[in-house]
Amino acid sequence: MNTSRTAIVELAVPGHVSDQELANRLWQVLRQACQPAAGEGLRLFYPDPASLEVRVFGAAASELLPGYPANGS
């Protein structure tokens, strides 16, 4: 049985890139990463590309996660 999981990724992104633009781009990259390599044919992939959901919060991880170091180290 599949269970939902959350992965938190902290990226430094230029200010002119909106949260929605970043979410769209990350979704495209993750979906591409789930495609079979040439010659592999169809098989079960992890994660299932249809299950990808990307949310972008315009905040540092230290603002979202209690106890996370402010400098990201």
Side-chain angles (χ1 to χ4, degrees), residues 24 42-43 65 72:
N24 292 345
L42 293 177
R43 62 184 178 99
L65 303 171

Side-chain angles (χ1 to χ4, degrees), residues 36-62:
E40 282 190 1
L42 293 177
R43 62 184 178 99
L44 294 177
F45 288 95
Y46 168 79
D48 174 4
S51 72
L52 295 175
E53 179 180 342
V54 175
R55 295 182 192 177
V56 172
F57 298 94
S62 59

